[in-house]
Amino acid sequence: MHLDLTEEQSRIKFSVREFAEAEIAPHVMAWDEPQQFPLELQPKLAEMGLMGIIIPEAYGGAGLGYIEYATIIEELARVDPSVALGVAAHNSLGTNHIFMAGTEAQRETFVTPLARGEKLGAWALTEPGSGSDAAGLSTTAVRQNGHFVLNGNKNFITHASYADTCVVLASTDRSKGTHGISAFIVPTDTPGFVRGKKENKLGMRASDTASLAFVDMKVPAENLLGRENEGFVDALRILDGGRISIAALSVGIAQGAYEAALRYARERYAFGRPIAEFQAIQWKLADMATQIEAARLLTWKAAAMKDAGRRTTKESAMAKMYASEMAVKVAEEAIQIHGGYGYTKDYPAEKFWRDAKLCTIGEGTSEIQRLVIAREILRQP
């Protein structure tokens, strides 16, 4: 694989960087402190083509590949991880699940307005009692008179408070465990769709995370997404791509934290000279830069394989696990380089650290990634 971006990919990278620095950077803490979801940003993201990055142009998307997608998410996360997370969740999960598993009619009805940024998407798998243990999913969908009736609760759902369209995973045959789970496309104005508590979070505070409830919610049978009882099989395919975006998000967080630390090390004087001249600081910066580059290459490898139509279960898990854990370490070192100032909200290091931790948890914890990687390598002869 090529280890550098093409001219066109570089152009996309720097156009997104300019956008992030002009439209997002001035508002980062104003959104973070009150946990304000920046709805006003959605039309601007749509104008940039960032609401349908990996969706073909025929359905209103930008028609780009996963290398471009990873680059875009990284550039957004370098400035504000909350915005990057929102863009990733909208693209990789809700919108992409409908595109990958949906019928032509479903794509035209639901994917096109999502990819154009006219509507916002959510993806609801996690529940109060089942996260990593998907077999413990308790939301049910019962077929009745041309409808499915859904009852249950979801937790930690990105965009739950604002989404227009939600993909919901529910059990249609509890006796089959994960092989009895189906997916449904649910407009959020459907009677019985109840938006619940918004979470008060450590980081990613400008990204909306809330609970959902479904109370005798009738969903037309034609809104079944994919084949009945195979929703979780499709969800695993969606997560393979989603984990690439979380890896890219992690790389962006680390890059932002590293750049802040590098800047500070050049400007901060101690004992009569910039602290960047001290070996203790230089070695920290060297380790940070090396770890970021390693994570970026793992992410690009998974993205290139995805673009080539290859299965990326192992590579996506490796990239996500390594990059997320790396981001936490790099962000923590950025705080250390800042010293006491790193512990204040006057400098960006503390926010990158708070935001980074979610990446080791969301879309499969580091522990789950290790299980996935081990399972994949043990399958090999």
Side-chain angles (χ1 to χ4, degrees):
M1 61 174 282
H2 294 292
L3 298 181
D4 206 357
L5 299 176
T6 66
E7 185 177 336
E8 175 62 15
Q9 288 166 343
S10 295
R11 186 194 65 76
I12 292 169
K13 174 186 176 74
F14 288 108
S15 68
V16 174
R17 176 171 292 195
E18 288 176 0
F19 170 81
E21 291 181 348
E23 300 290 342
I24 299 173
H27 311 289
V28 169
M29 293 310 291
W31 292 335
D32 181 76
E33 288 285 326
Q35 303 193 67
Q36 178 186 336
F37 182 67
L39 266 176
E40 66 272 22
L41 202 58
Q42 188 172 330
K44 296 177 182 179
L45 291 167
E47 190 177 346
M48 288 283 293
L50 304 185
M51 299 296 279
I53 300 168
I54 50 176
I55 302 300
E57 293 179 16
Y59 299 99
L64 299 175
Y66 271 80
I67 289 284
E68 291 88 347
Y69 181 35
T71 302
I72 289 166
I73 295 300
E74 179 186 333
E75 286 301 321
L76 293 173
R78 173 183 165 270
V79 173
D80 190 351
S82 290
V83 172
L85 177 63
V87 170
H90 171 86
N91 276 274
S92 302
L93 300 180
T95 305
N96 196 37
H97 194 155
I98 302 173
F99 174 72
M100 286 183 64
T103 63
E104 191 61 29
Q106 288 172 337
R107 288 177 174 182
E108 290 176 2
T109 302
F110 296 105
V111 172
T112 300
L114 288 167
R116 287 177 179 164
E118 297 162 0
K119 293 189 175 181
L120 187 64
W123 195 73
L125 171 63
T126 302
E127 297 185 356
S130 71
S132 300
D133 177 19
L137 182 149
S138 62
T139 297
T140 58
V142 179
R143 191 186 283 270
Q144 290 181 5
N145 303 322
H147 291 80
F148 285 89
V149 179
L150 273 65
N151 284 280
N153 297 276
K154 298 291 180 180
N155 206 20
F156 301 133
I157 307 304
T158 303
H159 299 153
S161 304
Y162 298 94
D164 303 289
T165 306
C166 186
V167 174
V168 178
L169 281 293
S171 176
T172 38
D173 189 340
R174 197 179 294 279
S175 68
K176 294 182 179 178
T178 54
H179 294 285
I181 293 173
S182 301
F184 300 89
I185 308 169
V186 183
T188 58
D189 59 0
T190 302
F193 187 99
V194 181
R195 304 182 199 264
K197 174 195 169 191
K198 178 180 176 179
E199 300 296 340
N200 185 7
K201 298 180 295 182
L202 169 72
M204 303 279 195
R205 288 167 64 84
S207 172
D208 175 65
T209 306
S211 60
L212 294 171
F214 315 117
V215 183
D216 294 332
M217 182 177 69
K218 287 186 177 181
V219 177
E222 59 264 28
N223 283 27
L224 174 68
L225 179 57
R227 297 176 63 178
E228 189 170 346
N229 295 332
E230 293 188 8
F232 189 70
V233 175
D234 291 335
L236 292 178
R237 294 167 54 218
I238 297 302
L239 285 169
D240 281 349
R243 286 167 181 163
I244 294 172
S245 71
I246 300 302
L249 174 61
S250 303
V251 172
I253 291 172
Q255 185 69 33
Y258 162 75
E259 289 177 12
L262 183 61
R263 224 170 19 245
Y264 184 82
R266 286 169 168 161
E267 296 168 357
R268 173 68 171 172
Y269 274 68
F271 307 101
R273 52 184 173 147
I275 64 171
E277 293 185 11
F278 292 98
Q279 188 180 72
I281 302 300
Q282 291 175 353
W283 283 15
K284 286 182 185 296
L285 292 169
D287 285 345
M288 293 159 79
T290 302
Q291 290 160 7
I292 291 167
E293 192 67 11
R296 183 179 288 119
L297 291 175
L298 274 173
T299 304
W300 282 5
K301 178 184 179 181
M305 289 176 64
K306 192 78 171 171
D307 285 338
R310 295 171 62 187
R311 186 171 180 266
T312 66
T313 301
K314 180 185 74 175
E315 290 75 16
S316 294
M318 284 180 166
K320 196 267 189 192
M321 181 194 73
Y322 180 80
S324 63
E325 294 186 352
M326 175 278 302
V328 174
K329 293 175 186 174
V330 166
E332 187 170 306
E333 286 287 51
I335 292 176
Q336 195 71 18
I337 289 171
H338 280 76
Y341 289 111
Y343 207 65
T344 73
K345 292 184 182 290
D346 296 327
Y347 288 81
E350 64 85 29
K351 182 179 184 297
F352 283 120
W353 181 73
R354 287 189 288 110
D355 289 348
K357 188 56 195 169
L358 179 65
C359 297
T360 69
I361 299 169
E363 293 201 34
T365 63
S366 290
E367 291 75 17
I368 291 296
Q369 302 314 312
R370 286 180 168 88
L371 287 173
V372 170
I373 294 163
R375 183 187 65 207
E376 291 298 311
I377 61 178
L378 289 169
R379 278 180 178 170
Q380 298 170 357

